Every structure is written in structure tokens, then in C-alpha cells.
């Protein structure tokens, strides 16, 4: 039976007839037809328009409220002159142009100019608006489309080159796993029965206002399994809070009384940030007695056997300058933001660091959880304060001097990930602006160095250009600017394999080191494109030496690594009571004085607040204007794509625009006051 037919049967089978009616034939029910008057159709359109306008007005009002509230909570350290005003103006200009173009396209769509004017001779075009639209079509195809096509092809080539690099890295990682390649000791291990055979090791813990995590880092370093007379721990405190300085001093004194060789250092003039802190510590006279130095940031808690797993690799290997361990994260499952960060960092350590360490004996030092040969540091020029990536700086200079690196993927040091988007964004800005600063400074040294041509090419084209410059450039330009603009320039439309198939394949490769993250494939793909604006802005500021390239903001910590479960929390409280009972007469007298002094009472309250995890008070979310601007640009392009029924283009632009909107309104991650 035809799909649009109706069969009618009579209940009495004596005399019945079968009538088959085609539903598409309107003449079958002439008296049932209802014609729609122009007035009714106009009211219908007005109702739909009213709903659209009400939705838009609600969205705009919510954004205005968010901006008004966030203006009261902007950090004092935010410098508006260094926050990419030019980038924000560029995004606004693109947004205004896209809105105007969308308005014209909507009018053209409902008046069917796309079908009529193109095939109509110019002398038959009536009206100024029709003539303007036809002139725009001609100008677009003759001048704008060729430029956009050329730029999109250039970015596509860069995209394919970077994808090939990612594929080669994954193949190298598979080869390492298949062949079970791992760094092996070149000499016999250290004689555990003879403490004098242990080399002298200096442990440095640089910190700055790390109230939430200072105790756990000092405690973990003090419990390293190494002869007490062969190790010295330097707590390098750059905090500007006197109360916090007192707390850290007390913590150091507690461990010193237990026999740990630990000292407290505080700089009166805090210059050079972390690099200046480490450089100042290396100038101490007693440093010449030590052979190796290991660095742990304030939120890193190494296992007691860390030194016994890393330092022996230096024995019998005089060319080895660095042994780097892997990071692991105690809060990787805390929220969506930490899960997405975990995917990136797992790929970085499992694939990038391991492959470069095995095949090139070089990789970027991660700034912490590594052991340096002090001789390698001194011969490479020591810590320099010229960039915000002092760790990458010293690694490149050591590589140019011929030192080799080893990466240990099976040695992990726990730390925590930023849980708020504001903290993560500032961290990523520093991580992506610093390499471009360093590239400008190191390029002449790389060219003049005595390393092989292959190593020079790897440093210039792969380490710096491809992975630090090209990646954020094409990611932002291709997927956030060119793709939405092509919706208004059909001649330059991108094929599906560029916006869908290849990115999904590369995202799958990125997720392989963390297989439990496969359900987050699509959010990861969208979030990486969302972060491209931050990385691109940081790359430009570092390359051209803008003011924001020299910003150093300490990543906010929550102290979660000290309370991963209730048992750890109970141990911490027990440790607090033991601290008050076993810290000695001097500390007890000091505490008694503080009990009768109001300032002392507040200090103890802050001490308890530092030891116990603070309540995560929700603060008013911030607003990130560049992300919001790109959100509306992509949503506008999605509306234009919907008119043209582009299918996957529409869905990609829609969800990518929504992801920018979520990030722009600071609705991802945890907001911590």
C-alpha cells in the first residue's frame, strides 16, 4: 500500500466498498481544506521571532550580569594592558562582520536571492539591496575567497605536518613498548651496606605563598630514603606573608629536631621568580660539596625510594646530566577540567618525553621531579632569569653543551592539577609564551653550537617551531577563525576530513596513554580547540616580547594531595597533635606566648587552616571576553551553516561555540576562592 494512503472498510460485509485515497491529493477533501491567510502567517512568524529574541535577550542579560559580578572579583594582578586587547578587538571585528553577513544571508535566504540573482542579468536586478547583495557575491568570489582559500590551504598543510609528527611519536612509543626498551644502569648499583658510597645529594623545594601544600612537600622530602649525612634539604621560601614564613620555619625546625639535615632560606629581594630563587640557593658555599641536586615544587610528594631509583643512573655514565621522573596526579578525576588536563599530560610523559629520551637523549626538563648533575648546571650557565621557562632554558643549554638526558617512565611523583579554569589558563599562558621567548634568545646559540645537524634541526623545527609555534597557530586560525568565516564564503568551504575525521583520529592517539578517558573524546577535542585562543595569544606575546610574556603567576593549589582519603586526613591530625607535644621546649614556650596573644592565636588558626583542607567557597565566576567573543562568532557561523544545511559543519560549529561559551562564562572546573 502506498505510504500516504488510507484504507476505509465498512463493518457490514454484505455491501461494502474499498476506497483508497492518496493523502497527497488535496482534492479528495475539498470541504476540509483550510487556507492560511497572510495575516495568520505573519502572526506565526512574529511568534517565532519573539521566542528567538526572548532567548537572545535572556542570554545577553545573563552575560551582562556575569560581567557585572566578575568585575568586582578581578584580581589585582590582572593588567588590562597585557591581556591581549588587540586580539579581543580582532575577534569583535570578526563577530560584527559575521553578524552583518548573517543578517544579509537570512534576508537572501527567505527572498531566494541565492537562486534568482545569480542567474539573472545585472540589468534585471531591482532595488539597492538586491544590487548590493549581487555586488557582494561578485566581490566575495573575486577577492575574498582566493585569500581565504590560500590561508586555509597553508593551515591545512601545517595541520597535516603536525598530525604526522604526532603519529610518528605514537609509533615510536609503540616500538618502545614492543621491544621493552627502558633505561638500564651502566654500572653496579650503590652499595646499600656502605653509606659512604652514596653520593652527596642536594634537595631543593622552591615555594612562594604555598600555604596549602608546604607541609606535605617538606614532609615527603624529609622522608627520602638516603643517608642523613649525604643529603641536604633546602626549603627556598619566597613567601611575602610573615605568618606563613613562621609556619614554614616551624615545620623545618620540627624535621631538623628529628635529625633531618634541612635548612630554611628566605630572600629579602624576590627577583627572577623561581629561577632567581634557585640561582640564589646555588650560590651557597656548601653547595660545592654536593654532586647532584633534585628539585621538587611545593605540591610534589616523592616516594621515599625516589633517589634510589634515579641517582644510580648517573654512576658509570659521566655524560648524563639529567634524570627526569614522571608526574602523576592525585586529583585527575576531580572534575571535567582535571580529566582533560590528565589526557594531555599523560600523552606528554608517556609518548613525547619517553620517545625523545630513548631516541634523542634530549627532552624539555619539566622543572620538578628531576635530578641534575650539578656540574652540568654549572657548565651550562646555571639558572637564568631571562624567561618564564627556566626549566626549558637550562635543558636546551645543557643539550647544546653535549649533556644527555634520561627519562624514567616507571618512577612517578604525585602532584595536583589546577582545578579552576582561571589557574589553568594562567599556567598555560606561561607555558606557551616562555618557549617563544627562549626560541628568540637561543636561536643564534643553536646555529653556532657544535652539536650535529640532525640535533639542530630537531631543536629548531620540531622542538620549537612545530610543537610550540605551529600547533597553537593552526589550531586557532583554522578552527576558530577560518572555519566560521567559510560559512559566509562557500567558495572556501573546508572538507569534512579536516574538521572531523583527522582531528578525531589525532584525539584518539592522544587518549591512548590514558585509556580510561575514552568517554571524554569529544569534550577533549572541543576543549583543545577552546584552549587554542589562550595558547595562540601566549605564543604571539612571547614571540614579539609583549608585556604579558613576562608574567609569572604561581598556580593555585588546593592541597588535595595531602588528603587523598580519610586515612591521610586522620594521619595529618595525629601529626598535628604530635607536633605540639614533641617539638621541644623552645617551640612550646613560643606556643604558650601565642595563646595569650591575639596575633599568636590568629597564627595558629592559619596554621590549622593550612594543615586542613579549606572549605572551597564558591566565588563569583569570572568572564573571559575573548572566549565569549569566539563563542558568539562560532554560533553565528553555525546559524549560517544551518541555513545552508551543511550537516556536520553545523554540528561542529554549534558544539564548539557552546564549549567556548561554557569556558567564557567560567562554568568549567571548580571555582576556588
Amino acid at each position: 500500500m502506498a505510504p500516504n494512503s488510507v484504507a476505509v472498510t465498512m463493518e457490514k460485509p454484505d455491501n461494502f466498498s474499498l476506497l483508497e485515497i492518496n493523502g497527497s491529493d488535496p482534492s479528495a477533501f475539498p470541504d476540509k481544506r483550510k487556507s492560511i491567510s497572510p495575516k495568520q502567517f505573519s502572526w506565526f512568524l512574529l511568534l517565532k521571532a519573539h521566542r528567538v529574541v526572548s532567548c537572545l535577550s535572556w542570554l545577553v542579560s545573563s552575560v551582562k550580569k556575569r560581567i557585572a559580578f566578575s568585575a568586582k572579583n578581578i584580581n589585582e594582578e590582572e593588567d588590562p594592558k597585557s591581556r591581549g586587547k588587540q586580539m579581543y578587538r580582532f575577534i569583535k571585528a570578526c563577530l560584527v562582520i559575521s553578524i552583518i553577513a548573517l543578517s544579509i544571508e537570512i534576508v537572501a535566504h527567505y527572498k531566494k536571492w541565492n537562486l534568482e540573482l545569480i542567474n539573472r542579468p545585472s540589468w534585471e536586478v531591482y532595488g539597492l539591496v538586491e544590487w548590493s547583495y549581487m555586488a557582494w557575491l561578485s566581490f566575495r568570489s573575486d577577492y575574498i575567497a582566493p585569500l581565504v582559500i590560500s590561508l586555509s590551504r597553508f593551515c591545512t598543510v601545517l595541520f597535516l605536518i603536525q598530525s604526522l609528527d604526532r603519529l610518528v611519536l605514537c609509533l615510536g612509543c609503540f616500538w618502545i613498548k614492543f621491544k621493552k626498551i627502558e633505561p638500564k644502569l651502566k654500572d653496579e648499583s650503590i652499595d646499600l651496606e656502605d653509606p659512604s658510597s652514596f653520593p652527596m645529594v642536594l634537595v631543593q623545594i622552591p615555594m612562594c605563598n604555598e600555604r596549602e601544600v608546604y607541609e606535605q612537600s617538606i614532609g615527603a622530602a624529609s622522608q627520602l630514603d638516603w643517608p642523613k649525612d649525604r643529603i641536604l634539604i633546602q626549603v627556598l621560601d619566597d613567601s611575602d606573608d610573615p605568618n606563613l614564613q613562621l609556619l614554614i620555619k616551624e615545620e623545618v625546625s620540627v624535621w631538623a629536631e628529628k635529625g633531618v639535615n634541612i635548612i630554611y632560606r628566605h630572600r629579602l629581594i624576590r627577583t627572577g621568580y623561581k629561577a632567581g630563587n634557585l640561582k640564589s640557593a646555588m650560590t651557597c658555599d656548601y653547595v660545592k660539596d654536593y654532586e647532584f641536586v633534585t628539585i621538587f615544587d611545593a605540591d610534589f610528594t616523592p616516594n621515599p625510594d625516589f633517589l634510589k631509583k634515579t641517582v644510580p643512573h648517573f654512576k658509570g655514565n659521566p655524560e648524563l646530566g639529567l634524570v627526569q621522573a614522571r608526574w602523576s596526579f592525585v586529583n585527575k578525576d576531580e572534575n571535567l577540567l582535571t580529566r582533560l588536563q590528565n589526557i594531555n599530560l599523560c600523552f606528554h610523559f608517556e609518548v613525547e618525553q619517553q620517545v625523545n629520551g630513548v631516541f634523542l637523549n634530549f627532552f624539555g626538563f619539566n622543572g620538578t621531579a628531576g635530578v641534575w648533575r650539578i656540574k652540568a648546571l654549572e657548565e651550562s650557565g646555571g639558572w637564568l632569569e631571562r624567561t618564564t621557562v627556566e626549566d626549558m632554558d637550562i635543558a636546551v643549554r645543557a643539550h647544546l653543551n653535549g649533556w644527555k638526558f634520561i627519562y624514567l617512565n616507571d618512577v612517578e611523583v604525585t602532584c595536583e592539577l589546577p582545578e579552576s579554569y582561571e589557574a589553568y589558563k594562567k599556567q598555560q599562558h606561561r607555558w606557551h609564551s616562555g618557549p617563544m621567548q627562549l626560541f628568540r634568545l637561543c636561536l643564534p646559540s643553536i646555529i653556532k653550537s657544535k652539536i650535529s645537524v640532525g640535533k639542530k634541526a630537531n631543536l629548531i623545527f620540531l622542538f620549537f617551531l612545530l610543537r610550540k609555534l605551529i600547533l597553537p597557530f593552526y589550531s586557532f586560525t583554522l578552527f576558530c577563525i577560518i572555519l566560521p568565516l567559510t560559512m559566509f564564503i562557500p567558495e572556501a568551504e573546508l572538507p569534512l576530513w579536516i574538521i572531523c575525521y583527522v582531528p578525531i583520529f589525532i584525539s584518539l592517539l592522544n587518549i591512548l596513554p590514558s585509556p580510561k578517558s575514552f568517554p571524554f573524546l569529544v569534550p577533549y577535542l572541543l576543549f583543545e580547540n577552546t584552549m587554542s585562543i589562550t595558547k595562540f595569544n601566549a605564543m604571539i606575546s612571547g614571540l614579539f616580547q609583549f608585556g604579558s610574556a613576562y608574567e609569572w603567576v604561581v598556580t593555585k593549589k588546593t592541597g588535595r594531595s595531602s588528603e587523598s582519603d580519610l586515612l591521610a586526613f586522620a594521619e595529618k591530625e595525629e601529626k598535628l597533635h604530635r607536633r605540639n607535644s614533641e617539638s621541644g621546649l623552645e617551640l612550646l614556650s613560643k606556643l604558650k606566648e601565642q595563646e595569650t596573644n591575639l596575633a599568636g592565636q590568629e597564627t595558629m588558626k592559619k596554621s590549622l587552616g593550612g594543615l586542613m583542607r579549606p572549605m572551597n567557597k564558591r566565588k563569583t565566576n569570572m568572564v573571559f571576553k575573548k572566549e565569549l567573543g569566539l563563542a558568539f562568532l562560532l554560533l553565528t557561523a553555525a546559524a549560517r551553516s544551518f541555513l545552508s544545511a551543511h550537516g556536520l559543519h553545523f554540528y561542529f560549529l554549534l558544539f564548539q561555540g557552546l564549549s567556548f561559551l561554557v569556558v567564557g562564562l567560567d562554568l568549567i572546573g571548580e571555582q576556588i576562592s
Side-chain angles (χ1 to χ4, degrees):
M1 188 177 293
N4 291 325
S5 61
V6 179
V8 181
T9 59
M10 307 300 293
E11 293 182 356
K12 295 181 179 181
D14 300 333
N15 187 11
F16 73 92
S17 62
L18 180 64
L19 178 64
E20 185 173 329
I21 304 172
N22 195 321
S24 61
D25 186 8
S27 61
F29 300 97
D31 55 332
K32 296 293 184 180
R33 294 183 59 194
K34 292 185 179 180
S35 60
I36 301 177
S37 65
K39 182 180 291 186
Q40 290 176 325
F41 184 69
S42 300
W43 278 108
F44 174 77
L45 291 180
L46 286 175
L47 179 61
K48 292 294 184 182
H50 179 266
R51 291 181 178 177
V52 172
V53 171
S54 61
C55 292
L56 292 176
S57 62
W58 172 83
L59 181 61
V60 172
S61 62
S62 63
V63 171
K64 286 183 177 180
K65 291 179 180 178
R66 179 62 57 81
I67 293 175
F69 283 123
S70 65
K72 302 178 182 178
N73 294 279
I74 295 178
N75 294 337
E76 295 179 358
E77 59 196 24
E78 294 282 345
D79 184 8
K81 295 182 180 179
S82 62
R83 287 296 173 186
K85 280 189 174 182
Q86 299 300 328
M87 175 66 67
Y88 180 56
R89 291 172 182 171
F90 172 74
I91 295 174
K92 284 201 302 184
C94 292
L95 176 59
V96 171
I97 293 174
S98 64
I99 292 176
I100 295 174
L102 177 63
S103 303
I104 296 175
E105 293 292 343
I106 291 176
V107 175
H109 177 77
Y110 283 105
K111 292 195 174 185
K112 299 183 179 180
W113 289 350
N114 295 340
L115 301 176
E116 297 177 359
L117 293 184
I118 296 177
N119 299 322
R120 187 190 300 180
S122 59
W123 58 82
E124 293 185 10
V125 177
Y126 302 101
L128 179 61
V129 178
E130 295 182 3
W131 181 88
S132 301
Y133 182 71
M134 192 169 184
W136 155 249
L137 294 180
S138 177
F139 179 78
R140 183 184 72 185
S141 61
D142 294 339
Y143 299 99
I144 299 180
L147 294 176
V148 177
I149 291 173
S150 301
L151 183 58
S152 63
R153 287 177 178 174
F154 176 69
C155 291
T156 301
V157 171
L158 298 180
F159 174 44
L160 294 178
I161 293 175
Q162 197 275 333
S163 301
L164 180 62
D165 173 66
R166 192 58 56 101
L167 178 61
V168 170
L169 287 174
C170 290
L171 293 177
C173 184
F174 288 144
W175 180 259
I176 292 173
K177 298 294 184 183
F178 178 72
K179 291 293 185 178
K180 298 181 180 180
I181 302 174
E182 59 182 13
K184 296 182 179 180
L185 300 177
K186 289 192 174 183
D187 203 344
E188 295 182 0
S189 60
I190 300 174
D191 186 6
L192 300 179
E193 301 296 333
D194 183 13
S196 62
S197 65
F198 286 72
M200 299 287 285
V201 177
L202 179 67
V203 179
Q204 295 179 333
I205 310 176
M207 59 179 63
C208 178
N209 298 324
E210 309 278 4
R211 177 180 295 273
E212 295 81 7
V213 293
Y214 75 90
E215 186 182 13
Q216 65 191 34
S217 60
I218 295 175
S222 300
Q223 298 179 56
L224 288 172
D225 188 7
W226 205 254
K228 301 300 182 183
D229 59 339
R230 314 295 291 178
I231 185 175
L232 172 64
I233 302 173
Q234 287 181 318
V235 178
L236 311 177
D237 181 26
D238 263 0
S239 303
D240 54 8
D241 183 358
N243 293 327
L244 181 57
Q245 294 174 22
L246 177 61
L247 292 174
I248 298 175
K249 284 181 181 179
E250 291 179 354
E251 183 68 19
V252 170
S253 64
V254 168
W255 287 104
E257 291 174 359
K258 294 180 180 180
V260 178
N261 194 9
I262 184 172
I263 61 174
Y264 173 87
R265 278 180 56 88
H266 177 73
R267 294 191 302 162
L268 296 178
I269 302 176
R270 182 188 169 217
T271 58
Y273 303 110
K274 181 180 177 181
N277 198 0
L278 295 173
K279 181 179 180 180
S280 174
M282 294 299 292
T283 59
C284 298
D285 294 335
Y286 53 78
V287 172
K288 66 179 182 295
D289 299 329
Y290 293 84
E291 187 177 358
F292 304 105
V293 57
T294 181
I295 303 169
F296 298 110
D297 285 349
D299 60 317
F300 280 72
T301 54
N303 293 326
D305 60 351
F306 174 83
L307 293 178
K308 289 187 176 180
K309 288 184 176 181
T310 54
V311 175
H313 286 273
F314 289 96
K315 191 175 182 180
N317 195 357
E319 296 181 349
L320 182 61
L322 168 67
V323 175
Q324 173 71 57
R326 177 173 180 163
W327 299 0
S328 60
F329 312 103
V330 295
N331 62 336
K332 61 183 179 181
D333 298 325
E334 186 64 27
N335 55 44
L336 179 60
L337 179 60
T338 57
R339 290 177 183 271
L340 299 179
Q341 292 179 68
N342 181 62
I343 295 174
N344 266 338
L345 291 172
C346 282
F347 182 88
H348 169 70
F349 286 104
E350 184 81 19
V351 180
E352 291 181 339
Q353 296 292 75
Q354 187 169 208
V355 170
N356 290 326
V358 169
F359 295 104
L360 300 175
N361 293 122
F362 166 73
F363 46 81
F365 174 47
N366 293 116
T368 179
V371 183
W372 276 96
R373 190 188 297 270
I374 294 181
K375 182 180 178 181
L377 288 177
E378 294 174 347
E379 291 185 356
S380 303
W383 299 104
L384 299 181
E385 308 166 11
R386 56 183 181 173
T387 69
T388 58
V389 284
E390 73 294 327
D391 46 7
M392 184 182 294
D393 190 356
I394 187 62
V396 170
R397 287 185 280 117
H399 180 58
L400 296 180
N401 284 332
W403 292 98
K404 295 181 179 180
F405 302 164
I406 284 180
Y407 171 73
L408 302 178
N409 193 55
D410 58 341
V411 180
E412 298 184 359
V413 181
T414 57
C415 61
E416 67 174 81
L417 294 164
E419 295 184 10
S420 67
Y421 179 71
E422 178 189 3
Y424 179 62
K425 182 176 181 178
K426 291 178 180 178
Q427 181 195 70
Q428 292 300 303
H429 187 277
R430 176 165 55 87
W431 285 5
H432 286 82
S433 63
M436 290 296 97
Q437 292 176 296
L438 184 60
F439 179 65
R440 287 170 52 101
L441 297 172
C442 286
L443 183 59
S445 301
I446 296 174
I447 297 175
K448 297 177 183 178
S449 66
K450 297 180 181 180
I451 61 177
S452 64
V453 177
K455 291 183 178 180
K456 290 181 181 180
N458 173 69
L459 267 178
I460 296 175
F461 296 107
L462 293 181
F463 186 77
F464 279 113
L465 290 182
L466 183 60
R467 297 166 189 164
K468 304 298 188 299
L469 187 147
I470 290 178
L471 177 58
F473 172 78
Y474 87 76
S475 181
F476 171 72
T477 306
L478 186 62
F479 295 106
C480 300
I481 299 299
I482 294 179
L483 177 59
L485 292 182
T486 55
M487 295 299 100
F488 304 96
I489 308 172
E491 298 87 349
E493 181 177 323
L494 296 175
L496 287 178
W497 62 269
I498 293 180
I499 66 172
C500 182
Y501 304 138
V502 176
I504 289 179
F505 175 71
I506 298 301
S507 298
L508 283 172
L509 294 181
N510 291 345
I511 290 181
L512 285 179
S514 53
K516 293 183 179 180
S517 302
F518 271 101
F520 302 96
L521 174 64
V522 174
Y524 171 74
L525 174 61
L526 297 175
F527 182 71
E528 281 300 290
N529 290 335
T530 305
M531 285 302 301
S532 64
I533 174 62
T534 298
K535 298 176 181 179
F536 178 83
N537 189 36
M539 182 268 293
I540 293 297
S541 64
L543 188 63
F544 296 102
Q545 302 293 294
F546 294 154
S548 60
Y550 297 94
E551 290 182 349
W552 180 286
V553 181
V554 178
T555 305
K556 294 180 181 179
K557 312 295 193 310
T558 61
R560 293 191 186 277
S561 53
S562 63
E563 49 166 12
S564 57
D565 51 33
L566 294 177
L567 179 60
F569 181 77
E571 290 178 355
K572 187 170 292 297
E573 284 198 330
E574 181 182 354
K575 186 177 180 180
L576 177 62
H577 293 297
R578 188 172 63 252
R579 175 181 174 184
N580 289 335
S581 60
E582 299 178 358
S583 57
L585 296 176
E586 182 180 353
L587 183 57
L588 284 175
S589 61
K590 186 183 297 184
L591 292 177
K592 288 180 180 180
E593 292 178 1
Q594 290 176 346
E595 287 178 358
T596 58
N597 189 306
L598 179 60
Q601 291 177 358
E602 293 179 354
T603 301
M604 291 303 296
K605 289 179 181 179
K606 291 185 178 180
S607 175
L608 292 174
L611 294 175
M612 299 173 63
R613 180 190 172 193
M615 296 296 291
N616 291 337
K617 297 181 180 179
R618 295 279 178 175
K619 69 174 183 179
T620 306
N621 295 25
M622 297 187 65
V623 168
F624 302 99
K625 294 183 179 180
K626 291 190 287 291
E627 284 81 351
L628 275 183
L630 281 174
F632 292 123
L633 174 62
L634 289 164
L635 292 176
T636 304
R640 175 63 182 88
S641 177
F642 180 75
L643 292 178
S644 302
H646 278 148
L648 282 178
H649 289 76
F650 164 72
Y651 290 110
F652 179 84
L653 290 168
L654 175 64
F655 289 112
Q656 188 65 72
L658 292 176
S659 67
F660 267 103
L661 185 64
V662 169
V663 172
L665 295 177
D666 197 14
L667 298 177
I668 186 172
E670 183 172 342
Q671 292 72 43
I672 299 176
S673 60

